[in-house]
Amino acid sequence: MSNNLSLDGCDLVNLALKYGTPLYVFSKGMIESRCREIKEQFLKRYEGSRAYYASKAFLTLAMCQIIEKEGLGLDVVSGGELHLALKAFFPAERIILHGNNKLRQEIETAVEKGVSRIVVDWEGEIDIIDAVSKTKGKRTPILLRVTPEIKALTHKYIQTGHRGSKFGIPLERIPFTVKKTMSLPNVELKGFHFHLGSQIDDYRTYLDAVDVVTKLMSDLRDRFGYIAEELDIGGGFGIGDGENARTKPISYFTDPAMERIKARCSTFDLPVPSVAIEPGRWITSEAGITLYTVGAIKEIPGSCTYVSVDGGMADNIRPALYGARYRAEVANKMGRDKDKIVTIAGRCCESGDILIENLPVPGDIESGDILAVFDTGAYNYSMASNYNMLPKPAVVFVDEGEDILVVERETYDDLLVKQRGIGSALRV
Ligand code: LLP
């Protein structure tokens, strides 16, 4: 029996040898089973409900194909994400467009292709959508993104629903915006949206926002007779961090939210809106593992032991940006005692490029070992950069013993494709 770590019947050490490292590996089955859980526990149980996968978490053509096949919708936040989705033949009528500063051209494409909803993030955007829709002879369904003034307990950089956030329309401006929207012929106001932030571990944060927004809905009905048909409660369903990373059932978040929405609507005598969610990390994070090869090992007496790997902040910016913590194993030395504590260092030219601190590993860890870092399926590949001219790693899906290459590793020449020398024919 091999002592190697495996995923979905694939030996990860063999995959590292076959494709090289760093390497992003995803369990296709786990992504699918998360989609199915959403279908069983949310979509089937709540009439009219919708679920859009937040593609910014991890987006490739192959990922789009899975989401399409599983019947979920897709949340895109830029022309680039929309372009990729359309290239993957993702149906426009299942796409929702976000963005706090959408370009006119992005709105034009979205309207022309007939996306399901555009989520309006500022007042002036409504005029653009109305004008573009008029030119294209369409009436575009929109949601207004409300800033509910709820501060989620998460890293400051990923809070979005607090007062002062750059996202959404301030609460006090909503009545004016609704009135204005109701007067425009080429947009159709379907309801409201909020997104409180990311890595939210406590479902009660959503309840606080539901309270604010349902009160708002009641006021709007009283003032203008406007009745919202839809409420999109965003994504942000947390999965914990480091050793404590555990994906909770989706119903941990959605059931109490649905209950509260129903209860509040009954209090205010409002019809219950159809509800949408936009999970990103919850679907992909745990399905992803990043493989690295160990290189330099530096023991600093009285300080720590650095184990350096052949990737780092270029393929996983999250520890440096948010202080995110990760779990890892030496994939070719499973089951051994972990009697050494090390610091996993990236290879970028930054002192802050430290992937994991205080990681217990087998005492005989050595150059050439394969390190597997867990829960890297969300916001790792999608936030990867070419810092230090590092080519982006390949992405491989594994599925019942089979491995499928879905993104090729970049080459050095790929990094130069768009470059031109000055005044000469210097080209790659
Ligand atoms: N809906 C909206 C409108 C969003 O802005 C986001 C994420 C989501 C849904 C999905 O959130 P999730 O379920 O994945 O937490 N780069 C950060 C996360 C930024 C999230 C941005 N918006 C990180 O690595 O933690």
Side-chain angles (χ1 to χ4, degrees):
M1 259 277 286
S2 150
N3 270 348
N4 292 348
L5 182 67
S6 66
L7 181 66
D8 280 9
C10 289
D11 183 312
L12 291 176
V13 179
N14 288 346
L15 282 190
L17 283 174
K18 179 170 173 183
Y19 294 104
T21 54
L23 182 68
Y24 296 113
V25 184
F26 282 79
S27 158
K28 180 167 170 279
M30 194 182 291
I31 296 171
E32 288 164 345
S33 77
R34 288 282 146 74
C35 295
R36 284 170 200 163
E37 185 177 328
I38 288 174
K39 273 192 280 188
E40 293 302 319
Q41 299 301 321
F42 179 66
L43 297 176
K44 283 193 185 164
R45 287 178 50 210
Y46 300 108
E47 212 190 313
S49 59
R50 300 166 184 231
Y52 300 95
Y53 165 62
S55 68
K56 71 206 80 171
F58 170 65
L59 183 63
T60 68
L61 294 172
M63 182 64 193
C64 260
Q65 289 175 303
I66 296 180
I67 296 297
E68 200 286 312
K69 193 156 164 258
E70 293 300 325
L72 265 53
L74 199 72
D75 147 7
V76 302
V77 76
S78 70
E81 289 182 351
L82 179 58
H83 179 73
L84 187 150
L86 296 172
K87 283 279 175 193
F89 303 108
F90 199 92
E93 61 276 13
R94 274 160 55 192
I95 295 177
I96 191 167
L97 177 68
H98 275 286
N100 68 307
N101 184 22
K102 302 175 192 72
L103 309 179
R104 190 182 178 98
Q105 199 202 328
E106 293 171 332
I107 292 174
E108 282 172 358
T109 311
V111 170
E112 188 178 307
K113 300 291 177 189
V115 299
S116 147
R117 303 282 178 267
I118 297 182
V119 182
V120 172
D121 202 273
W122 68 292
E123 293 166 30
E125 193 183 326
I126 304 168
D127 298 310
I128 306 174
I129 301 172
D130 186 60
V132 168
S133 304
K134 187 175 179 198
T135 321
K136 303 207 184 275
K138 304 225 180 184
R139 188 152 186 257
T140 303
I142 61 169
L143 300 176
L144 297 185
R145 178 165 178 169
V146 180
T147 314
E149 304 190 359
I150 301 295
K151 197 171 191 165
L153 198 62
T154 186
H155 192 281
K156 186 171 178 250
Y157 292 175
I158 51 179
Q159 291 169 334
T160 53
H162 55 290
R163 179 150 189 97
S165 167
K166 77 165 187 174
F167 295 102
I169 300 167
L171 267 182
E172 65 267 40
R173 293 297 299 173
I174 291 287
F176 165 83
T177 316
V178 167
K179 201 163 169 225
K180 173 179 167 179
T181 309
M182 287 170 74
S183 72
L184 296 175
N186 307 296
V187 290
E188 184 189 0
L189 180 59
K190 290 281 188 187
F192 300 101
H193 169 281
F194 62 76
H195 173 71
L196 305 173
S198 213
Q199 277 288 45
I200 299 170
D201 281 323
D202 190 340
Y203 71 85
R204 288 172 297 189
T205 311
Y206 293 87
L207 306 189
D208 292 343
V210 164
D211 287 353
V212 172
V213 175
T214 45
K215 170 77 172 64
L216 178 73
M217 282 160 56
S218 161
D219 291 349
L220 292 167
R221 187 255 331 261
D222 296 347
R223 281 180 72 178
F224 310 123
Y226 173 72
I227 295 186
E229 291 165 47
E230 294 177 19
L231 177 60
D232 184 332
I233 64 168
F237 311 123
I239 63 145
D241 202 25
E243 284 305 317
N244 303 320
R246 292 284 174 277
T247 306
K248 293 174 177 132
I250 197 71
S251 55
Y252 167 84
F253 297 100
T254 48
D255 281 357
M258 293 304 298
E259 238 170 73
R260 183 66 72 99
I261 291 167
K262 283 182 191 161
R264 294 282 291 179
C265 286
S266 147
T267 306
F268 293 124
D269 199 19
L270 282 169
V272 178
S274 52
V275 175
I277 56 171
E278 301 168 343
R281 187 188 325 265
W282 187 88
I283 293 180
T284 56
S285 182
E286 208 181 316
I289 291 181
T290 308
L291 301 178
Y292 302 97
T293 303
V294 170
I297 299 181
K298 203 177 282 180
E299 292 199 20
I300 305 177
S303 176
C304 68
T305 298
Y306 285 111
V307 169
S308 295
V309 293
D310 54 355
M313 67 193 301
D315 61 78
N316 183 1
I317 189 69
R318 302 195 67 261
L321 195 54
Y322 315 113
R325 291 166 307 143
Y326 284 90
R327 287 183 300 130
E329 295 279 356
V330 177
N332 55 309
K333 289 181 176 159
M334 296 300 288
R336 302 203 194 169
D337 285 347
K338 295 182 191 172
D339 44 10
K340 193 171 175 133
I341 302 290
V342 302
T343 298
I344 305 296
R347 61 172 307 218
C348 286
C349 206
E350 296 276 336
S351 290
D353 183 19
I354 299 296
L355 284 180
I356 307 176
E357 281 177 319
N358 298 322
L359 180 73
V361 293
D364 61 349
I365 188 167
E366 61 195 327
S367 300
D369 282 346
I370 301 297
L371 189 79
V373 179
F374 297 97
D375 303 323
T376 58
Y379 304 106
N380 277 230
Y381 174 69
S382 61
M383 294 178 84
S385 77
N386 292 120
Y387 183 45
N388 292 165
M389 289 301 264
L390 297 182
K392 286 186 193 162
V395 182
V396 168
F397 281 8
V398 291
D399 188 26
E400 295 178 359
E402 261 186 72
D403 49 277
I404 312 157
L405 179 66
V406 298
V407 182
E408 285 178 39
R409 180 178 305 285
E410 285 180 347
T411 64
Y412 289 144
D413 275 348
D414 287 337
L415 303 184
L416 298 182
V417 159
K418 294 294 178 193
Q419 295 210 20
R420 302 286 180 267
I422 301 169
S424 75
L426 179 56
R427 296 261 172 111
V428 181

